[in-house]
Amino acid sequence: MYLKLLKPVVFVLIFLIRVDISSGQESVDQLEPKYLIKKSECPINSIFLQSLDAETKREDLIIIVSHLGKSEKARLGQRRLFNARTFLVFISTKSRSMSRIIAAQGERVPGKGFLDFYVKGELELRIFFLKNRELFVQPCFEGVDTKPCSGEDGRRFYPCRRSNRR
């Protein structure tokens, strides 16, 4: 008699344990970043990347993952990664080594493309982009008198980097 009662109880316990385990797993879509930029703009990108730089140690490993949005140009993910990595190495106040920053291409996503920045396994920053837009960072060229792609820092980044290959 006890055996007949025990079977349903064991089944319920196994079911509850499986539900508990699966609800603890997170997908990329469910990860919540500490900071979120919903619309990428040069001054905002620069402020948040400087903040990320300031809040991390020089030896901390930073992982940047690029996710292209639906129908975005394939090379754009690499260019966004390049600009983010270059900013954290050359504009950084900590003289970071290129080897402490890992850049990777993630899967294509149905909505807007974005960059994720991980430090110590935690998602610190996510930057969303309008379709086919670069990651623009300092120096930001917004004034009429300022020539884009002028100066050494401006030529480090895309799209200015491309114009230097003459």
Side-chain angles (χ1 to χ4, degrees):
M1 180 171 154
Y2 289 111
L3 191 56
K4 287 183 179 179
L5 290 174
L6 191 58
K7 277 186 178 181
V9 170
V10 170
F11 176 77
V12 169
L13 285 175
I14 290 172
F15 177 76
L16 290 174
I17 290 170
R18 291 179 87 189
V19 167
D20 188 46
I21 290 171
S22 65
S23 67
Q25 295 175 344
E26 295 179 309
S27 72
V28 174
D29 297 333
Q30 294 174 336
L31 291 176
E32 290 293 325
K34 188 174 178 182
Y35 301 106
L36 177 68
I37 300 174
K38 292 184 179 183
K39 184 181 174 196
S40 173
E41 294 179 359
C42 185
I44 293 170
N45 297 339
S46 299
I47 289 168
F48 277 89
L49 286 173
Q50 286 171 345
S51 177
L52 180 74
D53 177 52
E55 291 178 8
T56 56
K57 295 179 183 170
R58 181 178 185 263
E59 61 275 358
D60 283 346
L61 181 65
I62 298 174
I63 300 172
I64 311 167
V65 181
S66 173
H67 294 273
L68 288 173
K70 183 179 179 180
S71 70
E72 282 193 305
K73 297 175 186 174
R75 296 241 13 203
L76 195 56
Q78 295 169 347
R79 290 168 63 134
R80 289 174 181 161
L81 288 169
F82 180 89
N83 283 358
R85 196 172 185 197
T86 300
F87 185 91
L88 291 170
V89 170
F90 293 104
I91 309 299
S92 168
T93 58
K94 300 195 171 141
S95 303
R96 285 186 197 281
S97 167
M98 220 25 134
S99 66
R100 302 308 304 159
I101 301 171
I102 297 175
Q105 287 277 146
E107 294 180 7
R108 202 173 270 275
V109 294
K112 291 181 177 181
F114 59 91
L115 287 178
D116 279 340
F117 295 80
Y118 294 87
V119 180
K120 297 181 183 177
E122 297 291 323
L123 180 55
E124 293 292 320
L125 174 62
R126 178 173 286 163
I127 303 174
F128 281 100
F129 299 92
L130 295 176
K131 185 177 177 181
N132 290 322
R133 294 288 174 98
E134 303 274 354
L135 169 66
F136 291 108
V137 290
Q138 281 185 342
C140 302
F141 302 104
E142 297 178 39
V144 178
D145 297 333
T146 309
K147 290 184 178 180
C149 305
S150 62
E152 186 177 330
D153 284 339
R155 289 191 299 260
R156 291 183 195 269
F157 301 100
Y158 284 106
C160 300
R161 181 174 172 74
R162 183 176 47 179
S163 64
N164 289 338
R165 294 184 185 172
R166 294 178 190 154

